[in-house]
Amino acid sequence: MYTKPAGKLFLSILFILESLSGCGYHLQQGANPAIPSWIKTVYVAPWENRTNELLLGVWITDELRQEFLRSGPLTLASPEEADVILEGEVASVATSGLSYVRYDLTIERRISAVCSVRLVDRKTGDVLWETADISRHEDFLVGRELMETEGLKDEALRKLSRTVAEIIHHRIAGLF
C-alpha cells in the first residue's frame, strides 16, 4: 500500500525515466562511467614493505591482483603495456594486547597496518590518485605455543590484506 508521498515519489521517478527514454539518453552498458575511457588496463606493482611482517606486501599485492581479475573494471596487464600502474607500500604495522588474563598475559591481540597507495599514468609518470590513509586492523587469539600464535597472526594478516585490497579497488572504481 502506497502512502501519498511515496506515490508522488514513484510517479516522479516514472516521469523522469520516461522523459529520459524519450530524449535518446541511455546508459552505456559494459563500461564504468566513473573511469576515464583511456584507462583500460592496470599493472599492480609488488608492494614495498617497511615492516617486519615480511609477507604482508606480497599478500596485499596478490589480493589486489585477484580483486581486479574478479571484479574489473580494469584488466590486468604487464608493466610495459598497462595504461596505469598501481603502486603501494605498507608503512607500518603494530601489534597490541586486546584481552588479558593477567596484566602481562594476553589472550587476544590486535594487529594494525597503515598503507599508502598511488595510481600512476605509465606514459607520463603523473600521479592520478594517491592516498596514505588506508589503515586496518584485525584481532586474533593467542595460542598455547608460539608457532600457533604466529599462525593465527598470519591468518589475521591475510584477512587484513583482503580488506585493504577491497578498499583500494572500490576507491579506484569510484575515483574519477
Side-chain angles (χ1 to χ4, degrees):
M1 181 172 177
Y2 291 109
T3 62
K4 285 188 176 186
K8 286 183 181 179
L9 177 64
F10 176 74
L11 288 174
S12 297
I13 292 172
L14 186 62
F15 176 76
I16 290 170
L17 289 174
E18 183 65 31
S19 298
L20 290 174
S21 67
C23 70
Y25 178 83
H26 66 281
L27 294 175
Q28 184 179 5
Q29 291 185 351
N32 183 346
I35 297 192
S37 60
W38 65 271
I39 299 177
K40 304 270 189 227
T41 57
V42 61
Y43 171 69
V44 179
W47 273 45
E48 294 183 29
N49 186 352
R50 300 189 183 279
T51 73
N52 290 332
E53 297 299 335
L54 301 178
L55 292 175
L56 185 56
V58 174
W59 290 336
I60 293 173
T61 302
D62 289 345
E63 290 294 339
L64 273 167
R65 290 176 178 163
Q66 289 300 316
E67 194 67 32
F68 279 102
L69 282 173
R70 195 174 29 246
S71 306
L74 303 177
T75 304
L76 287 177
S78 69
E80 298 82 21
E81 298 174 344
D83 298 321
V84 292
I85 297 175
L86 182 63
E87 302 172 336
E89 174 188 77
V90 182
S92 66
V93 171
T95 305
S96 59
L98 195 59
S99 302
Y100 294 85
V101 174
R102 295 185 324 239
Y103 73 93
D104 62 342
L105 185 59
T106 59
I107 56 172
E108 188 176 20
R109 294 181 183 159
R110 171 171 289 170
I111 190 157
S112 306
V114 177
C115 304
S116 63
V117 64
R118 64 188 195 157
L119 192 64
V120 178
D121 183 333
R122 183 187 59 84
K123 291 179 182 169
T124 65
D126 292 342
V127 176
L128 303 173
W129 172 72
E130 182 175 32
T131 185
D133 69 345
I134 297 174
S135 62
R136 286 289 161 217
H137 68 264
E138 287 294 330
D139 302 335
F140 63 98
L141 296 175
V142 175
R144 293 179 186 258
E145 303 289 330
L146 176 63
M147 292 308 293
E148 182 183 8
T149 300
E150 288 298 311
L152 293 168
K153 183 177 77 174
D154 284 351
E155 283 181 31
L157 286 171
R158 284 186 171 271
K159 187 174 179 185
L160 186 146
S161 299
R162 281 191 295 276
T163 304
V164 167
E166 288 172 2
I167 290 168
I168 292 169
H169 181 266
H170 287 292
R171 286 190 183 179
I172 288 173
L175 258 184
F176 304 95

